[in-house]
Amino acid sequence: MTKRKRQQGYYTKRMKSVQEGSNEEVLLADIRSLLQRSKIDDSEVTGNESTATDLEAPFERFSQVEVKISALSSIGDGLGFSSKSDHVFVVPFTLPGDVVEAKVVTQFANDHYTLADFVSVLKPSPQRNDALVRCPYFAKCSGCQFQMLSYEDQLAQKKSILEKAYRNFSNLPTELIPVVGDTIGSPLQYGYRTKLTPHFDGPPGSRVRKGRKDGSEQPSFEQVPPIGFMVKGTRKTMDIEDCPIATEAVREGLKQERMRVAEEISKYKRGATILLRETTTKALAQPQASPATTDGPQPTSNETDFPCQPAQAPPANQFPASTTTKTYITDQNATSTEHIGPYTFLNPAGAFFQNNNSILETFTSYIRSHILPPFLPQTSTTSTSKPQKPIKYLIDTYSGSGLFSITLSPLFTSTLGIDISSSSIASASLNASLNSISNATFTTGDAANIFAEAKQ
């Protein structure tokens, strides 16, 4: 790019080598597919084939352009075209059929696409229903992408992502690509997320280390900084007071931690990340002599425990199976507890665990039902072939704290979990003992090495 064009506000970049499996690789595959389809459609209408050399009339950076969205990428952003250019605009928070105003951010001329910010909807897609949006930060926060889309359409999009992944990256012949089934939905679409990690940045100048050399004081906070998540497409933190996709306990934790940080902000010299992890306890309820109300203080909505009581009081002098209490943890070294059907899992609060516990019983049940291939009975055409041998052993790569090794253990003679994190392996071994699972063992190691000697 010439110095003059840069001064005029044009901004193009040459993409660095794309890392395998990265968002950039996935996005580029979708962009190239859309460009190819667009060329075919144009040639069918006009009889002319467009070429890549036609594409590049650069747009001034931060200028606004009208874009008609044609497809959704596998990373969740809309892909579309402007009437003034043949290359692809990548616009978040958009749907196929939307006509939107977008702001040009970065152009990748050699790869024929432009990253843009969403500004407004000029003409909504038939799929768009903004009445479904329940978060005031949506279309700015980098967290959610599809709140304006019906849940049925969200599930269809997830199925499409898997289909494209097989098509673009499996290297399988078309006839061998498996059919992807319908996506199984979550019982909860809001109030399900059991972990949040909001953060705040340090005071202005806190990253400059000259104070160590010239004796100047470390910068301090003059006011409470924004506490929340990144603005989409930027490194800027936006203030988030509430997150409706989080569970009730985690939302309460966010409120309490925001107040704590505001009170203690003078103690901080740099930014920090706040952990909010839900934990669950179950306990037998005490017998109830009568359903009559008792005197004394009652729980209020401001408590940080959230008991899930039965819908009706049990008969006098009988115990319900249990009561469940949800609380939140802020110490990453503390232990969180999850219950999945008959199984209990303990996990370091800061370590990875599935973040939607409302679906875990359905999720693990589905895996149990499909982990083994169907048994093929012997017939006249198969009697001469070797009989099927039962599958006795399971190797659970990237096992974490043992979710699959433990819940699938009844189906196998033995299961072996492998994870590079020694703390996760310690948790997995503890969970096997806690659930009286004797045929599951765990070892620390790099699971990728298992396949290092596999024949191509």
Side-chain angles (χ1 to χ4, degrees), residues 320-346:
S322 65
T323 57
T324 301
T325 302
K326 307 282 190 179
T327 58
Y328 64 89
I329 294 173
T330 59
D331 180 359
Q332 65 176 357
N333 296 316
T335 301
S336 64
T337 306
E338 289 284 1
H339 299 275
I340 306 171
Y343 300 101
T344 298
F345 288 88
L346 305 181

Side-chain angles (χ1 to χ4, degrees), residues 374-444:
F375 177 75
L376 299 177
Q378 293 290 323
T379 66
S380 58
T381 59
T382 62
S383 58
T384 58
S385 61
K386 293 182 179 180
Q388 284 182 286
K389 293 183 178 180
I391 297 175
K392 297 181 179 181
Y393 309 105
L394 171 69
I395 297 178
D396 181 10
T397 56
Y398 311 100
S399 60
S401 57
L403 176 64
F404 292 124
S405 297
I406 290 171
T407 57
L408 297 174
S409 61
L411 301 179
F412 298 93
T413 301
S414 68
T415 68
L416 172 63
I418 304 171
D419 200 283
I420 200 168
S421 168
S422 58
S423 61
S424 292
I425 291 301
S427 295
S429 300
L430 175 61
N431 288 330
S433 176
L434 182 65
N435 290 283
S436 301
I437 304 297
S438 59
N439 63 333
T441 57
F442 300 90
T443 185
T444 303

Side-chain angles (χ1 to χ4, degrees), residues 22-326:
S22 65
N23 274 2
E24 289 78 11
E25 183 186 32
V26 173
L27 178 61
L28 274 173
D30 287 341
I31 288 170
R32 289 164 181 163
S33 176
L34 179 59
L35 284 169
Q36 185 62 36
R37 294 200 308 271
S38 174
K39 291 176 185 178
I40 293 173
D41 292 344
D42 287 345
S43 63
E44 289 176 349
V45 173
T46 66
N48 298 317
E49 229 179 277
S50 61
T51 64
T53 56
D54 300 329
L55 300 178
E56 306 317 325
F59 290 82
E60 187 175 350
R61 195 181 192 196
F62 303 135
S63 63
Q64 294 190 9
V65 59
E66 184 177 308
V67 178
K68 183 174 182 180
I69 304 300
S70 302
L72 270 177
S73 71
S74 293
I75 65 171
D77 295 336
L79 306 177
F81 297 95
S82 163
S83 61
K84 299 179 181 180
S85 174
D86 292 341
H87 74 176
V88 175
F89 286 83
V90 182
V91 189
F93 311 115
T94 59
L95 299 173
D98 276 340
V99 178
V100 301
E101 193 80 16
K103 182 189 294 184
V104 173
V105 177
T106 306
Q107 298 182 79
F108 294 90
N110 291 338
D111 292 297
H112 315 309
Y113 76 95
T114 293
L115 297 180
D117 285 341
F118 169 79
V119 178
S120 64
V121 176
L122 302 177
K123 181 181 178 182
S125 161
Q127 288 184 294
R128 177 179 287 274
N129 182 359
D130 289 329
L132 298 173
V133 176
R134 290 170 53 179
C135 179
Y137 309 106
F138 181 71
K140 293 182 180 179
C141 175
S142 59
C144 298
Q145 296 172 296
F146 297 136
Q147 288 192 19
M148 72 301 204
L149 190 62
S150 73
Y151 192 56
E152 292 74 15
D153 287 339
Q154 291 183 41
L155 296 179
Q157 165 65 3
K158 293 182 178 182
K159 176 180 178 179
S160 173
I161 291 171
L162 287 178
E163 291 173 333
K164 288 190 289 185
Y166 273 110
R167 188 165 62 244
N168 295 334
F169 305 112
S170 69
N171 295 320
L172 290 173
T174 302
E175 63 273 14
L176 293 183
I177 293 177
V179 175
V180 177
D182 292 336
T183 309
I184 299 174
S186 168
L188 299 174
Q189 287 85 60
Y190 286 88
Y192 65 85
R193 189 171 178 87
T194 56
K195 180 183 179 183
L196 292 180
T197 52
H199 64 273
F200 59 92
D201 299 323
S206 60
R207 294 186 179 182
V208 178
R209 299 187 177 183
K210 64 180 181 180
R212 296 182 179 179
K213 296 181 179 180
D214 62 18
S216 60
E217 292 185 4
Q218 180 77 10
S220 59
F221 286 100
E222 296 180 359
Q223 59 186 5
V224 179
I227 304 170
F229 308 110
M230 294 290 189
V231 176
K232 176 69 174 178
T234 76
R235 301 295 298 171
K236 181 181 178 181
T237 302
M238 66 181 297
D239 199 53
I240 304 288
E241 294 185 358
D242 188 24
C243 181
I245 67 170
T247 64
E248 188 178 355
V250 170
R251 292 173 78 177
E252 176 66 18
L254 177 59
K255 184 174 90 174
Q256 297 295 331
E257 284 299 291
R258 284 175 57 86
M259 290 192 294
R260 180 190 64 78
V261 170
E263 292 172 356
E264 300 177 0
I265 194 62
S266 61
K267 299 179 181 179
Y268 289 90
K269 301 301 180 183
R270 63 186 67 184
T273 296
I274 301 167
L275 171 67
L276 297 166
R277 165 72 82 177
E278 182 178 275
T279 186
T280 307
T281 58
K282 284 186 175 182
L284 291 177
Q286 296 298 316
Q288 299 182 13
S290 71
T293 58
T294 58
D295 296 330
Q298 299 298 311
T300 69
S301 59
N302 291 327
E303 293 177 343
T304 56
D305 291 354
F306 299 90
C308 301
Q309 301 291 352
Q312 295 180 345
N317 300 320
Q318 290 189 19
F319 290 84
S322 65
T323 57
T324 301
T325 302
K326 307 282 190 179

